[in-house]
Amino acid sequence: IFTGFDIPQSYENRYLRLIPLLGKVQMTGIGADKQRILATMKAYKDKIDFLVKSLNRAPEIREINKQHDQELFNVRSPLQKTELMALLGIDTGFSESGKYFKTDKRTLKLVGDRNTLFRRVSAITEMQNMLSKFLEPLVYHIADDGRIHTSYKMGRSEESFAIGGDPTGGVTTGRLAASDPPIHNLKKDYFLRSCFVPSPGWVSVEFDYGAAEVRGLAWLAGCKNLIKWFNEDIDPYIMVMAVNDRVEYPDMWEKYKKGPDEVRKGLKVRRQSTKG
């Protein structure tokens, strides 16, 4: 599975144990419901068609289409998105190239929260990515046994980060990856994830990988407090915040979950910082 990967000594004992497990997962495959995938693809295409027609009826969009002698607005064009921002009086500042306004995903999300047209642009782009990067490859990779046999591998750093001119083009990062298709990195989309089905008599269990990592670190480090908190279903980041503020954990948790909107929003940002 890890052909061509030089596993550093620090990883060896941990990761070599994974090879038989990953090999079994790769050979067994993951159950996929082809009809559900096809139905989901159709639902996304219908939604995209509806949003595209709605978007291109807007006067500002029609004006840009006329300038470019085109029928449909190109939601992937930085130029056309910049032109639309200019028409709407939106200034997100210039991107690194200095040619267009910033149109990255995070910026468009912020603009879309205040503007219907950009909310539709973002939605169309997101769903097009869902189709091309996830749903369409899934159909292609379903084997005759009705399962997807993705190929697992160890993540590698970019060639520019090679140490000592490593001829293999980098060093093992220790991060797990997969290809054909990249099933290790599925989006948090209910309809997409519902396309994967367990065998009769089995159930699928979903968990947050970030939480799994922290639990793994607590176990490897033998950190008694973290292990105790996890066993008692305590959020470790809220606990750290409570300790720092010299308040009881239940009080901090109550404010985080049920406090006023502004308080919860502030604590959510603070928790993310604490997690980092």
Side-chain angles (χ1 to χ4, degrees):
I1 295 174
F2 299 149
T3 303
F5 292 92
D6 54 317
I7 303 178
Q9 189 64 41
S10 58
Y11 293 135
E12 188 169 341
N13 290 337
R14 272 178 283 164
Y15 286 110
L16 286 180
R17 295 176 193 165
L18 286 175
I19 293 178
L21 173 62
L22 292 175
K24 183 176 181 180
V25 172
Q26 184 168 318
M27 287 186 290
T28 305
I30 299 169
D33 186 329
K34 187 172 184 178
Q35 294 306 314
R36 189 176 294 181
I37 294 173
L38 292 172
T40 303
M41 287 173 60
K42 184 179 185 306
Y44 271 106
K45 288 177 180 178
D46 290 345
K47 182 68 172 176
I48 290 171
D49 288 343
F50 172 79
L51 287 174
V52 166
K53 289 176 183 176
S54 176
L55 178 70
N56 283 277
R57 284 197 293 265
E60 297 88 350
I61 298 292
R62 291 205 305 268
E63 183 176 335
I64 292 173
N65 288 344
K66 185 177 180 181
Q67 291 175 3
H68 291 274
D69 192 24
Q70 61 189 23
E71 292 185 10
L72 300 175
F73 182 80
N74 184 356
V75 296
R76 296 185 181 277
S77 168
L79 170 61
Q80 292 184 30
K81 284 185 280 193
T82 297
E83 291 172 343
L84 179 58
M85 286 180 185
L87 281 175
L88 297 170
I90 298 172
D91 185 357
T92 60
F94 283 96
S95 61
E96 290 184 7
S97 69
K99 295 172 64 177
Y100 311 113
F101 284 169
K102 291 179 182 177
T103 57
D104 57 274
K105 184 177 179 180
R106 183 173 179 275
T107 300
L108 289 184
K109 171 69 170 62
L110 293 173
V111 174
D113 288 343
R114 305 190 305 271
N115 184 276
T116 302
L117 292 181
F118 273 99
R119 193 153 55 244
R120 289 173 186 162
V121 167
S122 295
I124 292 168
T125 305
E126 190 74 19
M127 284 189 280
Q128 286 177 341
N129 287 338
M130 183 73 75
L131 278 172
S132 62
K133 293 182 179 179
F134 296 100
L135 289 166
E136 290 169 353
L138 285 182
V139 174
Y140 177 79
H141 287 290
I142 296 178
D144 292 338
D145 61 0
R147 305 178 76 82
I148 294 174
H149 301 270
T150 190
S151 299
Y152 291 100
K153 57 187 177 182
M154 276 294 212
R156 299 282 285 185
S157 63
E158 295 296 327
E159 186 173 354
S160 58
F161 291 95
I163 296 177
D166 181 2
T168 61
V171 295
T172 304
T173 62
R175 195 177 185 91
L176 187 66
S179 60
D180 302 321
I183 211 167
H184 68 296
N185 195 27
L186 288 174
K187 290 184 69 64
K188 292 182 179 179
D189 179 86
Y190 171 79
F191 297 104
L192 173 64
R193 295 192 175 194
S194 69
C195 293
F196 298 95
V197 292
S199 300
W202 293 74
V203 295
S204 295
V205 177
E206 181 177 348
F207 63 88
D208 180 81
Y209 187 60
E213 281 182 321
V214 178
R215 283 164 170 78
L217 285 171
W219 175 74
L220 287 169
C223 181
K224 293 180 180 179
N225 278 338
L226 270 177
I227 293 171
K228 180 175 182 291
W229 293 345
F230 284 130
N231 284 334
E232 295 176 0
D233 200 27
I234 289 174
D235 185 304
Y237 315 115
I238 300 296
M239 175 62 87
V240 170
M241 291 158 57
V243 171
N244 286 340
D245 289 2
R246 293 185 172 86
V247 300
E248 295 296 321
Y249 172 82
D251 296 336
M252 180 66 78
W253 178 256
E254 184 75 13
K255 284 195 288 185
Y256 176 74
K257 297 298 287 187
K258 298 180 181 179
D261 287 346
E262 285 302 312
V263 172
R264 285 191 288 113
K265 187 176 180 180
L267 289 176
K268 184 176 180 181
V269 172
R270 186 179 167 194
R271 180 183 180 277
Q272 194 65 32
S273 175
T274 302
K275 187 175 182 180

